[in-house]
Amino acid sequence: MKKILPIIAISLLALSACKKGSVSGTVIDPISGEAVELPTVWIRGTPFTSQKIPGGLPDGKFKFEKIEPGSYTLEAGKGKYSRGSAEFTITKEDLDVTQNIYIYRQDVSSGLYRPIEGTEAEKILNTWAMWQPTCKGSVFALRASFADEVTNPKTKRKEKRNNPLPAPKDVPADIFALYKLASSVTSPVEAISYPVLSKPAKDYDCSVEARETLLVPDLDKGSKIESGYKSENLYEIKGTLPKGRQFLALSQDNKFVGLYYLNAQ
């Protein structure tokens, strides 16, 4: 009996050491909010791939079983879609892991999107770009208004036209958005929200007349907003904006990639 007990203990330890896990999830288009039909999913550096699953993944759902404990990278793609990746870890304590992965159509244009449950994400158009002057140093601003000359179609004469800055976009203070980069640079995107101040242009070295009024960021009260990878060239931005008029400044490698004029409610 004494000999049998150690054998049983060794067998139980061997059985525990041989336990394998699984990873399951859904491939989702974060712009449409829907599952992607028939994507290809694989685990980098392993034989696990959905191409071995009969019928593929018609509903975007996948599951790989009998995976040794360890850390892995899931990847997913489809023709005319971006490629997405996600890290996951299987341990003896957590053998069955759930991990979704995100890819989106390659024809999605660059810019800021606000996901809306049950429908396509709303693109927040940067309607303020024409009002952004060139400023020296790290200053950025928007002109409160500017005048230009247009030809009156009736009189054929040139007339002055005033162009007031469009109103800020109303957004929830608890912001959740997606930002699609125009380039394929892989370095992270930084998002900072600044309260907006009205200041005379003469106080700033910008390419506008001194008598103009500029909207500038209150640099002393910037709030960093969480930003993280979502899919290839797509970043998720979420956090709480201070209420009121805000500049949401997005940068990559210390260069601005987007500036949005928002009213956090």
Side-chain angles (χ1 to χ4, degrees):
M1 185 68 177
K2 290 181 180 179
K3 291 182 179 180
I4 294 174
L5 287 174
I7 292 172
I8 292 173
I10 291 169
S11 298
L12 288 172
L13 286 171
L15 184 63
S16 174
C18 290
K19 281 187 177 180
K20 296 182 180 181
S22 69
V23 60
S24 59
T26 304
V27 180
I28 298 171
D29 181 340
I31 302 297
S32 70
E34 298 179 351
V36 178
E37 295 184 357
L38 296 171
T40 299
V41 183
W42 64 98
I43 300 177
R44 185 189 299 168
T46 76
F48 293 100
T49 173
S50 62
Q51 290 180 336
K52 296 180 180 179
I53 299 174
L57 308 174
D59 55 2
K61 296 184 183 298
F62 63 88
K63 185 172 185 178
F64 298 122
E65 299 178 298
K66 299 181 180 179
I67 305 172
E68 296 281 357
S71 295
Y72 300 90
T73 300
L74 265 174
E75 294 194 284
K78 183 180 176 178
K80 297 184 179 180
Y81 274 74
S82 69
R83 179 175 290 188
S85 64
E87 309 294 326
F88 72 96
T89 300
I90 290 177
T91 65
K92 292 178 182 178
E93 295 74 30
D94 189 9
L95 289 169
D96 298 308
V97 175
T98 299
Q99 177 63 63
N100 293 333
I101 191 166
Y102 300 88
I103 62 176
Y104 59 93
R105 299 184 310 275
Q106 290 178 346
D107 60 2
V108 170
S109 58
S110 60
L112 190 67
Y113 291 81
R114 191 166 70 88
I116 300 173
E117 188 175 352
T119 186
E120 190 88 358
E122 173 196 20
K123 184 172 185 180
I124 299 177
L125 298 175
N126 191 347
T127 54
W128 315 279
M130 284 179 56
W131 284 262
Q132 187 174 354
T134 301
C135 300
K136 291 186 178 180
S138 59
V139 176
F140 56 90
L142 292 178
R143 304 165 76 178
S145 66
F146 70 90
D148 61 2
E149 287 189 342
V150 295
T151 301
N152 187 316
K154 293 181 179 179
T155 64
K156 306 300 181 183
R157 292 181 179 178
K158 288 188 176 181
E159 299 176 354
K160 281 194 173 182
R161 177 184 62 182
N162 188 51
N163 300 281
L165 180 70
K169 171 70 176 178
D170 291 336
V171 297
D174 292 326
I175 190 170
F176 173 68
L178 300 168
Y179 187 72
K180 164 68 165 53
L181 286 167
S183 66
S184 58
V185 180
T186 58
S187 51
V189 169
E190 184 180 63
I192 302 179
S193 176
Y194 298 96
V196 175
L197 302 174
S198 294
K199 294 288 186 177
K202 64 181 179 64
D203 295 343
Y204 297 87
D205 194 357
C206 298
S207 56
V208 298
E209 295 183 8
R211 65 173 180 269
E212 285 193 28
T213 298
L214 294 178
L215 302 186
V216 298
D218 188 343
L219 297 176
D220 294 329
K221 296 182 180 179
S223 301
K224 192 167 184 178
I225 307 299
E226 183 181 345
S227 172
Y229 170 89
K230 190 73 172 179
S231 187
E232 185 178 48
N233 298 336
L234 188 73
Y235 286 80
E236 180 180 88
I237 296 166
K238 60 181 179 180
T240 301
L241 301 173
K243 290 190 177 180
R245 295 187 305 163
Q246 301 286 318
F247 279 140
L248 179 62
L250 306 174
S251 60
Q252 186 181 41
D253 295 329
N254 296 318
K255 296 180 181 178
F256 280 113
V257 293
L259 179 65
Y260 293 85
Y261 181 34
L262 308 176
N263 180 37
Q265 298 179 323

